[in-house]
Amino acid sequence: MQEHHYSVDIEASPDELWQLFWARIPHTETGDVTIDILHPGDAVGEGLVRHCTFRVPRYLLTGGKGQSWEWLTEVTPQVSWKYNAVGRPLFSEAEGRTRLEDLGNGTTRLHFSETYHAFNPFLRAVLEKRVHAFISKDNDRLIKESLTKGVGYLRAAKAKAQAKTKAAGQGAAPATGATDPA
């Protein structure tokens, strides 16, 4: 069994990061990774099911593409969640956990951990470690880059919505409290 642990500080509140992770956009692409939401889960995301594609070594003879089907459980809004996955190639299972730690001053530490296990004992002995290292090597950088970029987009969208609301409020006629006698 392989394990990967990662923590990164992001200049964003836990609420902002939660909004990014739980936007439940039907299809997203970040670099070579795609995520398609197959089922949105309940109101907080419990039971969400997604299909992911990602890069794997070409020697696995899959055209350099891997796939996983993941379901999310143990969702605690703005705090943490867990996923379980089955994937291929190597026909494997994974379990990942993400936790958001509020550091104050608008900074959040994201903690991520994953275990990975190939089902086939021969493939586990020969390829599991190499394949998991390949899959995980860019995760840390990609997570930080996509969250930082996403927070920028989120803040820009909020600023635009606030400006639009403010502009609409300035164009309205002031209320006088008078009634029409007719």
Side-chain angles (χ1 to χ4, degrees):
M1 181 176 298
Q2 303 304 307
E3 292 187 28
H4 180 75
H5 300 275
Y6 172 68
S7 293
V8 62
D9 294 350
I10 305 289
E11 292 183 25
S13 69
D15 180 58
E16 288 173 310
L17 293 182
W18 184 262
Q19 289 177 55
L20 289 176
F21 276 110
W22 292 94
R24 299 186 226 186
I25 299 167
H27 176 82
T28 58
E29 294 183 31
T30 304
D32 295 324
V33 177
T34 64
I35 300 174
D36 292 299
I37 304 294
L38 304 177
H39 184 277
D42 68 10
V44 297
E46 186 82 26
L48 182 141
V49 178
R50 61 190 179 196
H51 174 252
C52 305
T53 62
F54 47 89
R55 285 182 345 110
V56 296
R58 289 211 171 269
Y59 58 76
L60 296 174
L61 305 176
T62 62
K65 293 278 185 197
Q67 298 181 63
S68 65
W69 291 264
E70 305 174 355
W71 56 98
L72 281 65
T73 60
E74 298 180 24
V75 177
T76 303
Q78 299 184 357
V79 177
S80 62
W81 62 93
K82 171 185 152 186
Y83 74 84
N84 292 86
V86 293
R88 66 180 185 105
L90 290 198
F91 300 102
S92 59
E93 63 182 343
E95 178 180 298
R97 294 185 177 270
T98 302
R99 182 172 57 87
L100 304 175
E101 177 186 359
D102 188 354
L103 300 178
N105 297 325
T107 302
T108 302
R109 180 167 295 145
L110 178 133
H111 300 276
F112 173 78
S113 63
E114 180 183 64
T115 59
Y116 176 84
H117 175 77
F119 294 127
N120 182 297
F122 176 75
L123 293 177
R124 185 179 322 129
V126 176
L127 294 174
E128 181 184 88
K129 185 174 183 174
R130 289 174 51 200
V131 169
H132 188 254
F134 183 94
I135 293 169
S136 298
K137 74 178 177 180
D138 292 331
N139 275 359
D140 303 350
R141 178 183 53 79
L142 289 172
I143 288 171
K144 184 171 186 170
E145 284 176 5
S146 57
L147 288 176
T148 301
K149 186 184 287 185
V151 167
Y153 290 145
L154 182 67
R155 289 177 179 166
K158 282 184 179 181
K160 185 176 179 180
Q162 287 173 344
K164 192 174 185 179
T165 301
K166 185 177 178 181
Q170 290 175 350
T176 63
T179 58
D180 186 4

